[in-house]
Amino acid sequence: MSKLFQNYKRAAIEFVKAQGNYLFDADGKKYLDFSTGIGVTNLGFHPQVKKALEAQAERIWHSPNLYQNSLQEEVAEKLIGNRDYLAFFCNSGAEANEAAIKIARKATGKQEIITFKDSFHGRTFGSMSATGQDKIKEGFGEGVPHFHYAVFNDLDSVKKLVNAQTAAVMLELVQGESGVLPAKQDFVTALVDYCQENDLLLIIDEVQTGMGRTGKLYSFEHYGIEPDIFTLAKGLANGVPVGAMLAKAQLGSAFGPGSHGSTFGGNKLAMAASSAVLDIMTQAGFLEQAWENGNYLQDQLKKALANNLKVTQVRGLGYMIGIETTANLADLVQAARDKGLIVLTAGTNVIRLLPPLTLTKEELDQGLTILKEVFA
């Protein structure tokens, strides 16, 4: 009898070892990982990240935010580059989104925030209230007020919700949890213009789409925009718990001393791993290769599944891919596991692929072969 809450539906597999892009279970079976721990180990189990963690653990692994932290400064500089942002570090995507909500309200003096139906921003009360899915909120009573939900890719639905107390619009550029649904370029461009014209802050949730997942460091780079606020987590430290909220420097006064904090946020281990991750991802050609490989995987899947009557669409951006299907998702996931491939689901009818950015051509083709067999 388990002593754990049963809030997770766990498969009867325990991974006890990892090497590169492969996982090994307690029986020694080897699996190619096309899930990256739900978009976390974006670099696989990379030796450079392991080395950075080991080296930092030899020195010091925790120091409170009452003192200077040069590693936080180092990671912030790598994340920001030549953009004009400031960074706050926490421990998860939900915490990063909480920080984004708080700074948007405090900086504007307004409370209303528009998010989107079918969005997912986390499971704390603030981030859950921002989430546009009723099933996430069932049984928890009243959420945080002043959130309103527009229709994704529909600017008119946003305009209908804006009033004098609207502080910000918050969105994912690819809705991951609801089915891997990319935002349309014309919608994003028009939304940015509308926000600027009406003095609304634009918050981009990059928790799943960031850190190279879509073939660029941030998915907003694909759309040629620069949000007022954006959030990161998942792949930032490649498996070490971390989150980050970045906001335009002009909003900095809203987060003065005592306004917000985190005991563990930006700890030395997480920052050492994050710094190593960014060093790898910003190497010349790395993200370009990931973009090329992600497109190759998506194109090959479209060709292979074009005549499959149980596949309605293959879609995505970079290495974030959804296969919409009428087949039973649980059966497909189990069939893939049986053949040594780990995949995810999203929404009610989508197989979600979040492979490592470090896949070799041979590993890509291995995964493709298994997916073809599973869907056949």
Side-chain angles (χ1 to χ4, degrees), residues 61 83 110 154 203 369:
W61 57 76
R83 298 181 175 95
K110 301 175 182 179
D154 183 347
I203 305 169
T369 298

Side-chain angles (χ1 to χ4, degrees), residues 10-15 24-26 29 31 334 337-338 342:
R10 301 177 191 266
I13 302 172
E14 181 175 5
F15 299 118
F24 299 82
D25 69 18
K29 183 174 178 178
Y31 303 82
Q334 187 58 55
R337 283 182 193 144
D338 291 343
I342 302 298

Side-chain angles (χ1 to χ4, degrees), residues 299-363:
D299 290 343
Q300 291 299 310
L301 285 169
K302 286 178 178 177
K303 290 176 184 176
L305 303 176
N307 297 317
N308 190 307
L309 297 179
K310 290 191 174 182
V311 173
T312 51
Q313 189 179 29
V314 177
R315 58 177 178 260
L317 187 63
Y319 260 139
M320 190 172 180
I321 299 170
I323 305 170
E324 187 176 294
T325 178
T326 58
N328 182 281
L329 294 185
D331 291 345
L332 291 170
V333 170
Q334 187 58 55
R337 283 182 193 144
D338 291 343
K339 293 176 180 294
L341 182 70
I342 302 298
V343 298
L344 296 162
T345 64
T348 58
N349 62 343
V350 173
I351 292 293
R352 177 173 36 157
L353 307 178
L354 301 174
L357 311 184
T358 47
L359 285 176
T360 64
K361 181 65 165 51
E362 291 72 23
E363 290 167 342

